[in-house]
Amino acid sequence: MILKRLIVLTVFAALAFGLGGEAHAQWVQTNGPYGGSVSCFAVSGTNSSSPMLFAGTNDGVFLTTNNGERWNAVSTGLPQSGVRAIAVIGTNLFAAADDSGVYLSTNNGATWTATDMTVLRTQIYITTLTVSGTDLFAGTYCGGVFLT
């Protein structure tokens, strides 16, 4: 009876902890963005075979369309500061830059323009962006939440 319980517990533990022959995911480092600090991600085109993945870094925004094999800087028009948050609404890409407000790209990051949220840059530090439907929310450090 004790042996039977021990076998049942062993089989249960093996299944519960993944020792039953199942494959486990492995983390593999990609090429980029060039070994720098990455603070955020956003995905656009999730229904396609090769979605666009954007990464916000201390050096701006980088884009990969091949699952991280190659990253390209897409920061023309962004200030020379880090990007802490990225969000996508349809074909609009938003990036929150350090102490500079929120910027908009309508061409997958090729160029960026300042939004009306840049007027807040002297008063708040935007730490996160998120989307609900067509609304963009900005979370700030000690400044609350803003909606556009």
Side-chain angles (χ1 to χ4, degrees), residues 4 18 22 35 60 87 100 143:
K4 184 177 181 181
E22 295 179 28
S100 300

Side-chain angles (χ1 to χ4, degrees), residues 26-142:
Q26 297 291 322
W27 288 92
V28 178
Q29 187 173 10
T30 69
N31 288 337
Y34 311 111
S37 295
V38 176
S39 57
C40 57
F41 287 108
V43 177
S44 179
T46 57
N47 295 330
S48 66
S49 60
S50 59
M52 292 176 281
L53 176 61
F54 296 91
T57 73
N58 288 337
D59 298 317
V61 177
F62 287 80
L63 165 67
T64 182
T65 56
N66 54 13
N67 292 319
E69 288 181 33
R70 188 179 63 246
W71 293 83
N72 296 310
V74 289
S75 299
T76 301
L78 285 175
Q80 297 295 316
S81 62
V83 172
R84 297 295 157 238
I86 303 174
V88 177
I89 300 177
T91 59
N92 294 328
L93 179 65
F94 297 89
D98 285 349
D99 301 326
S100 300
V102 178
Y103 290 79
L104 167 67
S105 176
T106 58
N107 53 12
N108 298 320
T111 58
W112 296 87
T113 55
T115 69
D116 59 350
M117 290 218 34
T118 57
V119 299
L120 301 172
R121 72 181 177 272
T122 58
Q123 301 166 5
I124 61 167
Y125 181 81
I126 297 170
T127 57
T128 187
L129 295 173
T130 195
V131 174
S132 178
T134 58
D135 293 330
L136 178 67
F137 289 87
T140 67
Y141 179 76
C142 295

